[in-house]
Amino acid sequence: VLAAMVMHLDATGLPVLDRDAAGSKRLGALWGYVGDENVAAYLYASTGKKNAQRPGEIGPEEMLARRTGYTVADASNLFDHSFERPDLIECGCNMHGRRCWTKALDAGDTRAALPIAAYKKLYEIEAKIRGLAPDDKLAVRQAESKPVFDEIVAWGRGVQSTRAAGVRPRRGDPVHDQAQGRAGALPRGRRHPHR
């Protein structure tokens, strides 16, 4: 059983030659399974389906059947059955969400500045603790990452409550100021913090 460390998994589509397919090509998948600094496996599958379609292949559901513990994955429904097990702990991946915030900020929606600043701060913390022992990483994450996470959750709740009440945050309101990056543990300023 694969365990002991956090595992991240994701796939990318990979066009492959196939004489029997329309246009002589079809889309396979290259699955990446990454653990700590020393463990990574990349497995090709002839489709992007959750189970292998050909002899010798391993799909993500078959790989996850061999795993227990924390596993980072996106919200694909390919993983739903696997994460029904209590010994396989799903940790959501935020990269798709981050891309949406980046697009919103690039389109001029300054409300996206705070979430993007939060991602930037979390990446800086992760870069700082790279190479530390697991217990030391956890201590730094609790001390430095948790306040960032708590602030972004509070900001999101504030945005939801003001929207539900039909109120648009204005300069000087905590929700507006947080959206502009002017409050709390996150960097200040209106520039694009993801660049």
Side-chain angles (χ1 to χ4, degrees):
V1 172
L2 302 170
M5 66 187 97
V6 174
M7 182 177 80
H8 301 251
L9 74 143
D10 202 0
T12 188
L14 189 65
V16 293
L17 297 175
D18 184 346
R19 290 182 191 146
D20 298 329
S24 299
K25 287 186 182 178
R26 63 179 163 71
L27 193 60
L30 184 63
W31 284 94
Y33 303 92
V34 179
D36 64 16
E37 289 90 9
N38 301 314
V39 179
Y42 295 91
L43 302 176
Y44 170 76
S46 59
T47 72
K49 295 182 179 180
K50 65 182 180 178
N51 292 305
Q53 302 296 304
R54 296 186 176 180
E57 293 180 353
I58 298 175
E61 189 168 279
E62 288 119 351
M63 179 63 90
L64 291 173
R66 300 170 180 180
R67 168 138 185 96
T68 62
Y70 296 102
T71 304
V72 179
D74 63 23
S76 171
N77 62 4
L78 295 178
F79 310 125
D80 289 350
H81 177 71
S82 298
F83 286 121
E84 289 174 359
R85 292 185 5 240
D87 61 342
L88 185 66
I89 303 159
E90 180 177 14
C91 303
C93 171
N94 275 307
M95 289 313 299
H96 294 92
R98 182 189 175 280
R99 284 184 213 136
C100 291
W101 290 115
T102 300
K103 286 179 185 177
L105 187 60
D106 287 344
D109 189 339
T110 58
R111 294 174 298 176
L114 185 84
I116 291 298
Y119 282 109
K120 180 180 179 188
K121 180 68 176 172
L122 293 171
Y123 291 157
E124 289 169 356
I125 294 166
E126 288 301 308
K128 180 173 83 172
I129 65 175
R130 188 173 291 128
L132 294 181
D135 288 343
D136 295 333
K137 284 182 180 181
L138 179 60
V140 173
R141 286 176 178 146
Q142 288 295 316
E144 297 183 30
S145 298
K146 187 175 183 315
V148 174
F149 176 79
D150 291 345
E151 185 173 340
I152 197 69
V153 169
W155 172 81
R157 288 184 178 143
V159 169
Q160 285 179 327
S161 64
T162 56
R163 275 199 187 145
V167 176
R168 185 178 171 132
R170 300 177 192 275
R171 186 175 300 278
D173 292 339
V175 171
H176 179 276
D177 289 348
Q178 284 181 335
Q180 304 307 315
R182 289 194 287 266
L186 296 174
R188 301 185 186 332
R190 294 183 70 171
R191 70 187 191 288
H192 290 258
H194 65 286
R195 290 193 178 139

